[in-house]
Amino acid sequence: VKISAAAVKAFMKRQLATEMTENGVTELRDDLNLVDSGLLDSIGLLQLVMSVQEEFKVEIELGEVDPELFTTVAGFASIVTDRSV
Amino acid sequence: MSAVDVGQLAPAQLAAYLDLEHEASAPYSAYVFASPDVAKAWSRHQLTSGAAEFGPPHGRAYVEGESVVAMAAWLNGAELKRLRMKATLALLKFPAFGEDRTLGDRIRAASSTLLSPGPEDMYLSRVAVDPNQRGQGRGRAILDDLASSARSRGCQRLLLEVAEDRAPAVRLYERFGFASLGVVRAPAQPNKPPLAYRQMVLVL
């Protein structure tokens, strides 16, 4: 099953709803930096990765992934969609 | 006893430094990791990823002659936040994270016991004195070093967590002037020892 980037973004929006309200972020634009905008701290990132793996049953194999990809909306979504089969 | 940046240590000294770091982190490691070997591998992985709170330039070994007799690592809240993010990214690439589904859960659970210092705060991340070198005022000397380093960098407060059952360490901090902010317990985990940290503060 191919996972769409839109599905990943919708999931992220649900997961980060509280943080978005707290930080005055209304929309997860592709180039939004999740860390600089205050949506993710280190444990928040860990939690998001783990819940995405759970939700989409995707193994995120990170050997060759640029870790900076995790810090933007589009980058995070691409990691999940690229791993799906 | 002179302080040497961890980046300047000879290989044998680095090994001794990491043994002491392991000792300093033991309560956290026993709660989080499957075994001491995984904990040691994680320390090495953080160091090589440039994500270690105890790496250069924050970590320092205390050396006498060629021997490492103690270690300590401190950094301000902004540096800590940046390194914790780097450590999470490093964790995602750490083999044990992919192999053990419960590791991430325990790291999250343990994080509830850790302070979130502000940019003006200095945070004592690790400190350990070689067991054969205790009772000689080395802990006190390290705290003097920490306090003067924090003052010279314009920090307002020193913050630390100490395992609640490490009574001699708690006494050392109290005598130095630290006040307790309370004890925070991590949620119980199957087959893991409990984790309880006393959070302490010293206003400079």
PDB file of all heavy atoms in Angstrom, chain A residues 35 40-43 45-47 49-50 53 59 62-68 70, chain B residues 81 84-86 88-93 97-98 101-105 107-108 111:
ATOM      1  N   VAL A  35      11.067  22.175  14.470  1.00  0.00           N
ATOM      2  CA  VAL A  35      11.843  22.444  15.685  1.00  0.00           C
ATOM      3  C   VAL A  35      11.859  23.946  15.984  1.00  0.00           C
ATOM      4  O   VAL A  35      11.487  24.379  17.075  1.00  0.00           O
ATOM      5  CB  VAL A  35      13.282  21.911  15.539  1.00  0.00           C
ATOM      6  CG1 VAL A  35      14.104  22.236  16.776  1.00  0.00           C
ATOM      7  CG2 VAL A  35      13.254  20.399  15.290  1.00  0.00           C
ATOM      8  N   LEU A  40       8.149  20.797  17.949  1.00  0.00           N
ATOM      9  CA  LEU A  40       8.810  19.570  18.395  1.00  0.00           C
ATOM     10  C   LEU A  40      10.033  19.882  19.246  1.00  0.00           C
ATOM     11  O   LEU A  40      10.901  20.652  18.831  1.00  0.00           O
ATOM     12  CB  LEU A  40       9.294  18.751  17.194  1.00  0.00           C
ATOM     13  CG  LEU A  40       8.279  18.003  16.347  1.00  0.00           C
ATOM     14  CD1 LEU A  40       9.024  17.160  15.319  1.00  0.00           C
ATOM     15  CD2 LEU A  40       7.389  17.116  17.204  1.00  0.00           C
ATOM     16  N   ASP A  41      10.101  19.274  20.419  1.00  0.00           N
ATOM     17  CA  ASP A  41      11.379  19.218  21.129  1.00  0.00           C
ATOM     18  C   ASP A  41      11.912  17.802  20.926  1.00  0.00           C
ATOM     19  O   ASP A  41      11.351  17.026  20.134  1.00  0.00           O
ATOM     20  CB  ASP A  41      11.214  19.590  22.614  1.00  0.00           C
ATOM     21  CG  ASP A  41      10.323  18.607  23.359  1.00  0.00           C
ATOM     22  OD1 ASP A  41       9.906  17.580  22.769  1.00  0.00           O
ATOM     23  OD2 ASP A  41      10.036  18.855  24.536  1.00  0.00           O
ATOM     24  N   SER A  42      12.989  17.464  21.595  1.00  0.00           N
ATOM     25  CA  SER A  42      13.627  16.178  21.297  1.00  0.00           C
ATOM     26  C   SER A  42      12.696  14.999  21.595  1.00  0.00           C
ATOM     27  O   SER A  42      12.618  14.055  20.815  1.00  0.00           O
ATOM     28  CB  SER A  42      14.930  16.061  22.082  1.00  0.00           C
ATOM     29  OG  SER A  42      14.705  16.280  23.459  1.00  0.00           O
ATOM     30  N   ILE A  43      11.977  15.089  22.714  1.00  0.00           N
ATOM     31  CA  ILE A  43      11.085  13.975  23.056  1.00  0.00           C
ATOM     32  C   ILE A  43       9.841  13.988  22.158  1.00  0.00           C
ATOM     33  O   ILE A  43       9.323  12.936  21.774  1.00  0.00           O
ATOM     34  CB  ILE A  43      10.715  14.034  24.560  1.00  0.00           C
ATOM     35  CG1 ILE A  43      11.954  13.724  25.412  1.00  0.00           C
ATOM     36  CG2 ILE A  43       9.589  13.067  24.905  1.00  0.00           C
ATOM     37  CD1 ILE A  43      12.543  12.322  25.212  1.00  0.00           C
ATOM     38  N   LEU A  45       9.809  14.833  19.020  1.00  0.00           N
ATOM     39  CA  LEU A  45      10.234  14.210  17.763  1.00  0.00           C
ATOM     40  C   LEU A  45      10.245  12.688  17.898  1.00  0.00           C
ATOM     41  O   LEU A  45       9.741  11.969  17.033  1.00  0.00           O
ATOM     42  CB  LEU A  45      11.627  14.717  17.365  1.00  0.00           C
ATOM     43  CG  LEU A  45      12.272  14.016  16.167  1.00  0.00           C
ATOM     44  CD1 LEU A  45      11.434  14.205  14.902  1.00  0.00           C
ATOM     45  CD2 LEU A  45      13.692  14.514  15.936  1.00  0.00           C
ATOM     46  N   LEU A  46      10.789  12.222  19.016  1.00  0.00           N
ATOM     47  CA  LEU A  46      10.838  10.776  19.258  1.00  0.00           C
ATOM     48  C   LEU A  46       9.415  10.194  19.252  1.00  0.00           C
ATOM     49  O   LEU A  46       9.133   9.174  18.620  1.00  0.00           O
ATOM     50  CB  LEU A  46      11.528  10.513  20.609  1.00  0.00           C
ATOM     51  CG  LEU A  46      11.616   9.073  21.065  1.00  0.00           C
ATOM     52  CD1 LEU A  46      12.381   8.224  20.059  1.00  0.00           C
ATOM     53  CD2 LEU A  46      12.289   8.998  22.434  1.00  0.00           C
ATOM     54  N   GLN A  47       8.523  10.903  19.957  1.00  0.00           N
ATOM     55  CA  GLN A  47       7.130  10.457  20.050  1.00  0.00           C
ATOM     56  C   GLN A  47       6.465  10.435  18.672  1.00  0.00           C
ATOM     57  O   GLN A  47       5.751   9.491  18.330  1.00  0.00           O
ATOM     58  CB  GLN A  47       6.399  11.429  20.968  1.00  0.00           C
ATOM     59  CG  GLN A  47       5.003  10.994  21.325  1.00  0.00           C
ATOM     60  CD  GLN A  47       4.564  11.638  22.637  1.00  0.00           C
ATOM     61  OE1 GLN A  47       5.396  12.025  23.463  1.00  0.00           O
ATOM     62  NE2 GLN A  47       3.275  11.753  22.820  1.00  0.00           N
ATOM     63  N   VAL A  49       7.906  10.138  15.675  1.00  0.00           N
ATOM     64  CA  VAL A  49       8.455   9.036  14.862  1.00  0.00           C
ATOM     65  C   VAL A  49       7.816   7.715  15.280  1.00  0.00           C
ATOM     66  O   VAL A  49       7.381   6.922  14.442  1.00  0.00           O
ATOM     67  CB  VAL A  49       9.996   8.951  15.004  1.00  0.00           C
ATOM     68  CG1 VAL A  49      10.525   7.675  14.381  1.00  0.00           C
ATOM     69  CG2 VAL A  49      10.657  10.157  14.361  1.00  0.00           C
ATOM     70  N   MET A  50       7.727   7.504  16.603  1.00  0.00           N
ATOM     71  CA  MET A  50       7.178   6.229  17.075  1.00  0.00           C
ATOM     72  C   MET A  50       5.701   6.097  16.719  1.00  0.00           C
ATOM     73  O   MET A  50       5.242   5.021  16.331  1.00  0.00           O
ATOM     74  CB  MET A  50       7.388   6.101  18.588  1.00  0.00           C
ATOM     75  CG  MET A  50       8.874   5.941  18.940  1.00  0.00           C
ATOM     76  SD  MET A  50       9.189   5.982  20.713  1.00  0.00           S
ATOM     77  CE  MET A  50       8.363   4.485  21.223  1.00  0.00           C
ATOM     78  N   GLN A  53       5.304   5.369  12.968  1.00  0.00           N
ATOM     79  CA  GLN A  53       5.628   3.956  12.686  1.00  0.00           C
ATOM     80  C   GLN A  53       4.448   3.053  13.037  1.00  0.00           C
ATOM     81  O   GLN A  53       4.117   2.126  12.315  1.00  0.00           O
ATOM     82  CB  GLN A  53       6.858   3.531  13.491  1.00  0.00           C
ATOM     83  CG  GLN A  53       8.151   4.108  12.935  1.00  0.00           C
ATOM     84  CD  GLN A  53       9.378   3.644  13.703  1.00  0.00           C
ATOM     85  OE1 GLN A  53       9.325   3.492  14.923  1.00  0.00           O
ATOM     86  NE2 GLN A  53      10.469   3.435  13.005  1.00  0.00           N
ATOM     87  N   GLU A  59       8.455   0.626   8.748  1.00  0.00           N
ATOM     88  CA  GLU A  59       9.759   0.539   9.384  1.00  0.00           C
ATOM     89  C   GLU A  59      10.586   1.692   8.853  1.00  0.00           C
ATOM     90  O   GLU A  59      10.862   1.753   7.663  1.00  0.00           O
ATOM     91  CB  GLU A  59      10.457  -0.774   9.002  1.00  0.00           C
ATOM     92  CG  GLU A  59      10.048  -1.965   9.836  1.00  0.00           C
ATOM     93  CD  GLU A  59      10.398  -1.808  11.314  1.00  0.00           C
ATOM     94  OE1 GLU A  59      11.393  -1.122  11.613  1.00  0.00           O
ATOM     95  OE2 GLU A  59       9.670  -2.369  12.145  1.00  0.00           O
ATOM     96  N   LEU A  62      16.892   3.972   8.962  1.00  0.00           N
ATOM     97  CA  LEU A  62      17.482   5.300   8.893  1.00  0.00           C
ATOM     98  C   LEU A  62      18.918   5.331   8.440  1.00  0.00           C
ATOM     99  O   LEU A  62      19.519   6.398   8.382  1.00  0.00           O
ATOM    100  CB  LEU A  62      17.376   5.945  10.263  1.00  0.00           C
ATOM    101  CG  LEU A  62      15.916   6.167  10.615  1.00  0.00           C
ATOM    102  CD1 LEU A  62      15.736   6.191  12.103  1.00  0.00           C
ATOM    103  CD2 LEU A  62      15.423   7.429   9.973  1.00  0.00           C
ATOM    104  N   GLY A  63      19.462   4.167   8.103  1.00  0.00           N
ATOM    105  CA  GLY A  63      20.870   4.094   7.744  1.00  0.00           C
ATOM    106  C   GLY A  63      21.328   5.237   6.850  1.00  0.00           C
ATOM    107  O   GLY A  63      22.311   5.905   7.128  1.00  0.00           O
ATOM    108  N   GLU A  64      20.570   5.508   5.790  1.00  0.00           N
ATOM    109  CA  GLU A  64      21.041   6.481   4.786  1.00  0.00           C
ATOM    110  C   GLU A  64      20.212   7.760   4.777  1.00  0.00           C
ATOM    111  O   GLU A  64      20.395   8.617   3.932  1.00  0.00           O
ATOM    112  CB  GLU A  64      21.057   5.805   3.403  1.00  0.00           C
ATOM    113  CG  GLU A  64      19.708   5.496   2.789  1.00  0.00           C
ATOM    114  CD  GLU A  64      18.954   4.349   3.475  1.00  0.00           C
ATOM    115  OE1 GLU A  64      19.408   3.869   4.541  1.00  0.00           O
ATOM    116  OE2 GLU A  64      17.903   3.945   2.966  1.00  0.00           O
ATOM    117  N   VAL A  65      19.281   7.907   5.734  1.00  0.00           N
ATOM    118  CA  VAL A  65      18.435   9.107   5.744  1.00  0.00           C
ATOM    119  C   VAL A  65      19.169  10.280   6.395  1.00  0.00           C
ATOM    120  O   VAL A  65      19.795  10.125   7.433  1.00  0.00           O
ATOM    121  CB  VAL A  65      17.120   8.824   6.519  1.00  0.00           C
ATOM    122  CG1 VAL A  65      16.325  10.107   6.706  1.00  0.00           C
ATOM    123  CG2 VAL A  65      16.300   7.784   5.792  1.00  0.00           C
ATOM    124  N   ASP A  66      19.077  11.451   5.758  1.00  0.00           N
ATOM    125  CA  ASP A  66      19.631  12.675   6.350  1.00  0.00           C
ATOM    126  C   ASP A  66      18.748  13.069   7.537  1.00  0.00           C
ATOM    127  O   ASP A  66      17.562  13.356   7.353  1.00  0.00           O
ATOM    128  CB  ASP A  66      19.641  13.785   5.286  1.00  0.00           C
ATOM    129  CG  ASP A  66      20.069  15.123   5.863  1.00  0.00           C
ATOM    130  OD1 ASP A  66      20.465  15.164   7.045  1.00  0.00           O
ATOM    131  OD2 ASP A  66      20.009  16.117   5.121  1.00  0.00           O
ATOM    132  N   PRO A  67      19.296  13.075   8.743  1.00  0.00           N
ATOM    133  CA  PRO A  67      18.454  13.332   9.914  1.00  0.00           C
ATOM    134  C   PRO A  67      17.759  14.700   9.873  1.00  0.00           C
ATOM    135  O   PRO A  67      16.696  14.859  10.456  1.00  0.00           O
ATOM    136  CB  PRO A  67      19.424  13.254  11.099  1.00  0.00           C
ATOM    137  CG  PRO A  67      20.792  13.211  10.531  1.00  0.00           C
ATOM    138  CD  PRO A  67      20.685  12.801   9.102  1.00  0.00           C
ATOM    139  N   GLU A  68      18.337  15.640   9.144  1.00  0.00           N
ATOM    140  CA  GLU A  68      17.712  16.972   9.079  1.00  0.00           C
ATOM    141  C   GLU A  68      16.331  16.922   8.422  1.00  0.00           C
ATOM    142  O   GLU A  68      15.507  17.803   8.621  1.00  0.00           O
ATOM    143  CB  GLU A  68      18.614  17.947   8.320  1.00  0.00           C
ATOM    144  CG  GLU A  68      19.909  18.294   9.057  1.00  0.00           C
ATOM    145  CD  GLU A  68      19.664  18.919  10.434  1.00  0.00           C
ATOM    146  OE1 GLU A  68      18.796  19.801  10.534  1.00  0.00           O
ATOM    147  OE2 GLU A  68      20.328  18.502  11.395  1.00  0.00           O
ATOM    148  N   PHE A  70      13.981  15.179   9.193  1.00  0.00           N
ATOM    149  CA  PHE A  70      12.945  15.034  10.202  1.00  0.00           C
ATOM    150  C   PHE A  70      12.423  16.366  10.721  1.00  0.00           C
ATOM    151  O   PHE A  70      11.422  16.416  11.405  1.00  0.00           O
ATOM    152  CB  PHE A  70      13.467  14.226  11.403  1.00  0.00           C
ATOM    153  CG  PHE A  70      13.504  12.766  11.149  1.00  0.00           C
ATOM    154  CD1 PHE A  70      14.689  12.133  10.860  1.00  0.00           C
ATOM    155  CD2 PHE A  70      12.334  12.017  11.188  1.00  0.00           C
ATOM    156  CE1 PHE A  70      14.730  10.777  10.623  1.00  0.00           C
ATOM    157  CE2 PHE A  70      12.359  10.660  10.949  1.00  0.00           C
ATOM    158  CZ  PHE A  70      13.565  10.031  10.664  1.00  0.00           C
TER     159      PHE A  70
ATOM    160  N   LYS B  81      19.438  21.900  24.961  1.00  0.00           N
ATOM    161  CA  LYS B  81      18.285  21.687  24.087  1.00  0.00           C
ATOM    162  C   LYS B  81      18.745  21.246  22.694  1.00  0.00           C
ATOM    163  O   LYS B  81      18.187  20.311  22.106  1.00  0.00           O
ATOM    164  CB  LYS B  81      17.509  23.008  23.997  1.00  0.00           C
ATOM    165  CG  LYS B  81      16.060  22.855  23.633  1.00  0.00           C
ATOM    166  CD  LYS B  81      15.329  24.177  23.766  1.00  0.00           C
ATOM    167  CE  LYS B  81      13.984  24.067  23.094  1.00  0.00           C
ATOM    168  NZ  LYS B  81      13.274  25.337  23.029  1.00  0.00           N
ATOM    169  N   ARG B  84      20.140  17.680  22.918  1.00  0.00           N
ATOM    170  CA  ARG B  84      19.093  16.663  23.101  1.00  0.00           C
ATOM    171  C   ARG B  84      18.409  16.357  21.778  1.00  0.00           C
ATOM    172  O   ARG B  84      18.056  15.212  21.496  1.00  0.00           O
ATOM    173  CB  ARG B  84      18.065  17.134  24.142  1.00  0.00           C
ATOM    174  CG  ARG B  84      18.545  16.918  25.572  1.00  0.00           C
ATOM    175  CD  ARG B  84      17.506  17.355  26.589  1.00  0.00           C
ATOM    176  NE  ARG B  84      17.964  17.069  27.951  1.00  0.00           N
ATOM    177  CZ  ARG B  84      17.371  17.547  29.050  1.00  0.00           C
ATOM    178  NH1 ARG B  84      16.304  18.331  28.944  1.00  0.00           N
ATOM    179  NH2 ARG B  84      17.829  17.232  30.248  1.00  0.00           N
ATOM    180  N   MET B  85      18.197  17.397  20.947  1.00  0.00           N
ATOM    181  CA  MET B  85      17.605  17.170  19.626  1.00  0.00           C
ATOM    182  C   MET B  85      18.554  16.322  18.773  1.00  0.00           C
ATOM    183  O   MET B  85      18.134  15.367  18.126  1.00  0.00           O
ATOM    184  CB  MET B  85      17.299  18.520  18.963  1.00  0.00           C
ATOM    185  CG  MET B  85      16.599  18.427  17.632  1.00  0.00           C
ATOM    186  SD  MET B  85      15.057  17.467  17.646  1.00  0.00           S
ATOM    187  CE  MET B  85      13.911  18.641  18.399  1.00  0.00           C
ATOM    188  N   LYS B  86      19.832  16.669  18.807  1.00  0.00           N
ATOM    189  CA  LYS B  86      20.825  15.875  18.060  1.00  0.00           C
ATOM    190  C   LYS B  86      20.841  14.429  18.555  1.00  0.00           C
ATOM    191  O   LYS B  86      20.994  13.500  17.772  1.00  0.00           O
ATOM    192  CB  LYS B  86      22.230  16.476  18.237  1.00  0.00           C
ATOM    193  CG  LYS B  86      22.607  17.511  17.213  1.00  0.00           C
ATOM    194  CD  LYS B  86      24.074  17.884  17.334  1.00  0.00           C
ATOM    195  CE  LYS B  86      24.840  17.450  16.093  1.00  0.00           C
ATOM    196  NZ  LYS B  86      26.189  18.068  16.033  1.00  0.00           N
ATOM    197  N   THR B  88      18.345  12.779  19.858  1.00  0.00           N
ATOM    198  CA  THR B  88      17.173  12.055  19.360  1.00  0.00           C
ATOM    199  C   THR B  88      17.405  11.606  17.928  1.00  0.00           C
ATOM    200  O   THR B  88      17.095  10.465  17.560  1.00  0.00           O
ATOM    201  CB  THR B  88      15.907  12.930  19.453  1.00  0.00           C
ATOM    202  OG1 THR B  88      15.629  13.170  20.827  1.00  0.00           O
ATOM    203  CG2 THR B  88      14.707  12.243  18.822  1.00  0.00           C
ATOM    204  N   LEU B  89      17.965  12.502  17.100  1.00  0.00           N
ATOM    205  CA  LEU B  89      18.258  12.124  15.708  1.00  0.00           C
ATOM    206  C   LEU B  89      19.272  10.981  15.673  1.00  0.00           C
ATOM    207  O   LEU B  89      19.164  10.066  14.854  1.00  0.00           O
ATOM    208  CB  LEU B  89      18.755  13.348  14.925  1.00  0.00           C
ATOM    209  CG  LEU B  89      17.701  14.457  14.754  1.00  0.00           C
ATOM    210  CD1 LEU B  89      18.325  15.737  14.208  1.00  0.00           C
ATOM    211  CD2 LEU B  89      16.567  13.998  13.849  1.00  0.00           C
ATOM    212  N   ALA B  90      20.258  11.028  16.582  1.00  0.00           N
ATOM    213  CA  ALA B  90      21.241   9.938  16.655  1.00  0.00           C
ATOM    214  C   ALA B  90      20.579   8.645  17.128  1.00  0.00           C
ATOM    215  O   ALA B  90      20.934   7.547  16.673  1.00  0.00           O
ATOM    216  CB  ALA B  90      22.391  10.323  17.593  1.00  0.00           C
ATOM    217  N   LEU B  91      19.610   8.781  18.020  1.00  0.00           N
ATOM    218  CA  LEU B  91      18.907   7.599  18.541  1.00  0.00           C
ATOM    219  C   LEU B  91      18.183   6.853  17.421  1.00  0.00           C
ATOM    220  O   LEU B  91      18.163   5.620  17.389  1.00  0.00           O
ATOM    221  CB  LEU B  91      17.901   8.026  19.617  1.00  0.00           C
ATOM    222  CG  LEU B  91      17.009   6.922  20.176  1.00  0.00           C
ATOM    223  CD1 LEU B  91      17.814   5.944  21.025  1.00  0.00           C
ATOM    224  CD2 LEU B  91      15.860   7.503  20.981  1.00  0.00           C
ATOM    225  N   LEU B  92      17.597   7.622  16.484  1.00  0.00           N
ATOM    226  CA  LEU B  92      16.850   6.996  15.398  1.00  0.00           C
ATOM    227  C   LEU B  92      17.768   6.134  14.528  1.00  0.00           C
ATOM    228  O   LEU B  92      17.307   5.241  13.833  1.00  0.00           O
ATOM    229  CB  LEU B  92      16.152   8.066  14.545  1.00  0.00           C
ATOM    230  CG  LEU B  92      15.179   8.988  15.302  1.00  0.00           C
ATOM    231  CD1 LEU B  92      14.603  10.047  14.382  1.00  0.00           C
ATOM    232  CD2 LEU B  92      14.058   8.195  15.956  1.00  0.00           C
ATOM    233  N   LYS B  93      19.072   6.430  14.580  1.00  0.00           N
ATOM    234  CA  LYS B  93      20.041   5.640  13.810  1.00  0.00           C
ATOM    235  C   LYS B  93      20.784   4.613  14.668  1.00  0.00           C
ATOM    236  O   LYS B  93      21.685   3.943  14.191  1.00  0.00           O
ATOM    237  CB  LYS B  93      21.073   6.572  13.159  1.00  0.00           C
ATOM    238  CG  LYS B  93      20.482   7.460  12.090  1.00  0.00           C
ATOM    239  CD  LYS B  93      21.566   7.991  11.166  1.00  0.00           C
ATOM    240  CE  LYS B  93      20.941   8.742  10.002  1.00  0.00           C
ATOM    241  NZ  LYS B  93      21.811   8.828   8.848  1.00  0.00           N
ATOM    242  N   PHE B  97      17.651   0.850  18.835  1.00  0.00           N
ATOM    243  CA  PHE B  97      16.347   1.513  18.766  1.00  0.00           C
ATOM    244  C   PHE B  97      15.426   0.781  17.798  1.00  0.00           C
ATOM    245  O   PHE B  97      14.232   0.610  18.047  1.00  0.00           O
ATOM    246  CB  PHE B  97      16.506   2.982  18.357  1.00  0.00           C
ATOM    247  CG  PHE B  97      15.206   3.723  18.220  1.00  0.00           C
ATOM    248  CD1 PHE B  97      14.472   4.070  19.350  1.00  0.00           C
ATOM    249  CD2 PHE B  97      14.707   4.061  16.970  1.00  0.00           C
ATOM    250  CE1 PHE B  97      13.272   4.750  19.231  1.00  0.00           C
ATOM    251  CE2 PHE B  97      13.500   4.743  16.846  1.00  0.00           C
ATOM    252  CZ  PHE B  97      12.781   5.088  17.976  1.00  0.00           C
ATOM    253  N   GLY B  98      15.993   0.321  16.664  1.00  0.00           N
ATOM    254  CA  GLY B  98      15.202  -0.416  15.694  1.00  0.00           C
ATOM    255  C   GLY B  98      14.868  -1.830  16.160  1.00  0.00           C
ATOM    256  O   GLY B  98      13.839  -2.393  15.794  1.00  0.00           O
ATOM    257  N   ARG B 101      11.549  -2.397  20.508  1.00  0.00           N
ATOM    258  CA  ARG B 101      10.406  -1.492  20.403  1.00  0.00           C
ATOM    259  C   ARG B 101      10.123  -0.736  21.705  1.00  0.00           C
ATOM    260  O   ARG B 101       9.447   0.280  21.701  1.00  0.00           O
ATOM    261  CB  ARG B 101       9.157  -2.278  20.007  1.00  0.00           C
ATOM    262  CG  ARG B 101       9.265  -2.855  18.632  1.00  0.00           C
ATOM    263  CD  ARG B 101       8.197  -2.244  17.734  1.00  0.00           C
ATOM    264  NE  ARG B 101       8.652  -2.304  16.377  1.00  0.00           N
ATOM    265  CZ  ARG B 101       8.751  -1.254  15.571  1.00  0.00           C
ATOM    266  NH1 ARG B 101       8.409  -0.071  15.984  1.00  0.00           N
ATOM    267  NH2 ARG B 101       9.176  -1.387  14.349  1.00  0.00           N
ATOM    268  N   THR B 102      10.594  -1.278  22.822  1.00  0.00           N
ATOM    269  CA  THR B 102      10.257  -0.657  24.106  1.00  0.00           C
ATOM    270  C   THR B 102      11.277   0.413  24.520  1.00  0.00           C
ATOM    271  O   THR B 102      11.020   1.175  25.445  1.00  0.00           O
ATOM    272  CB  THR B 102      10.187  -1.725  25.223  1.00  0.00           C
ATOM    273  OG1 THR B 102      11.463  -2.354  25.337  1.00  0.00           O
ATOM    274  CG2 THR B 102       9.138  -2.768  24.908  1.00  0.00           C
ATOM    275  N   LEU B 103      12.414   0.466  23.810  1.00  0.00           N
ATOM    276  CA  LEU B 103      13.457   1.428  24.198  1.00  0.00           C
ATOM    277  C   LEU B 103      12.951   2.873  24.119  1.00  0.00           C
ATOM    278  O   LEU B 103      13.147   3.664  25.038  1.00  0.00           O
ATOM    279  CB  LEU B 103      14.706   1.227  23.312  1.00  0.00           C
ATOM    280  CG  LEU B 103      15.862   2.207  23.524  1.00  0.00           C
ATOM    281  CD1 LEU B 103      16.359   2.199  24.956  1.00  0.00           C
ATOM    282  CD2 LEU B 103      17.016   1.897  22.564  1.00  0.00           C
ATOM    283  N   GLY B 104      12.293   3.203  23.010  1.00  0.00           N
ATOM    284  CA  GLY B 104      11.763   4.554  22.839  1.00  0.00           C
ATOM    285  C   GLY B 104      10.753   4.904  23.926  1.00  0.00           C
ATOM    286  O   GLY B 104      10.734   6.024  24.437  1.00  0.00           O
ATOM    287  N   ASP B 105       9.921   3.931  24.285  1.00  0.00           N
ATOM    288  CA  ASP B 105       8.923   4.162  25.355  1.00  0.00           C
ATOM    289  C   ASP B 105       9.605   4.490  26.673  1.00  0.00           C
ATOM    290  O   ASP B 105       9.166   5.380  27.408  1.00  0.00           O
ATOM    291  CB  ASP B 105       8.053   2.911  25.560  1.00  0.00           C
ATOM    292  CG  ASP B 105       7.146   2.643  24.366  1.00  0.00           C
ATOM    293  OD1 ASP B 105       6.767   3.618  23.699  1.00  0.00           O
ATOM    294  OD2 ASP B 105       6.843   1.460  24.110  1.00  0.00           O
ATOM    295  N   ILE B 107      12.675   5.692  27.104  1.00  0.00           N
ATOM    296  CA  ILE B 107      13.351   6.995  27.025  1.00  0.00           C
ATOM    297  C   ILE B 107      12.342   8.117  27.255  1.00  0.00           C
ATOM    298  O   ILE B 107      12.606   9.074  27.985  1.00  0.00           O
ATOM    299  CB  ILE B 107      14.069   7.150  25.663  1.00  0.00           C
ATOM    300  CG1 ILE B 107      15.302   6.244  25.648  1.00  0.00           C
ATOM    301  CG2 ILE B 107      14.471   8.613  25.419  1.00  0.00           C
ATOM    302  CD1 ILE B 107      16.069   6.230  24.351  1.00  0.00           C
ATOM    303  N   ARG B 108      11.158   7.972  26.661  1.00  0.00           N
ATOM    304  CA  ARG B 108      10.106   8.976  26.881  1.00  0.00           C
ATOM    305  C   ARG B 108       9.701   9.022  28.345  1.00  0.00           C
ATOM    306  O   ARG B 108       9.518  10.093  28.931  1.00  0.00           O
ATOM    307  CB  ARG B 108       8.889   8.668  26.010  1.00  0.00           C
ATOM    308  CG  ARG B 108       9.039   9.168  24.593  1.00  0.00           C
ATOM    309  CD  ARG B 108       7.947   8.620  23.701  1.00  0.00           C
ATOM    310  NE  ARG B 108       6.624   8.858  24.249  1.00  0.00           N
ATOM    311  CZ  ARG B 108       5.542   8.169  23.895  1.00  0.00           C
ATOM    312  NH1 ARG B 108       5.638   7.204  22.995  1.00  0.00           N
ATOM    313  NH2 ARG B 108       4.386   8.444  24.415  1.00  0.00           N
ATOM    314  N   SER B 111      12.259  10.692  30.491  1.00  0.00           N
ATOM    315  CA  SER B 111      12.433  12.132  30.253  1.00  0.00           C
ATOM    316  C   SER B 111      11.592  12.959  31.221  1.00  0.00           C
ATOM    317  O   SER B 111      11.896  14.129  31.460  1.00  0.00           O
ATOM    318  CB  SER B 111      12.094  12.485  28.804  1.00  0.00           C
ATOM    319  OG  SER B 111      10.694  12.451  28.607  1.00  0.00           O
TER     320      SER B 111
END
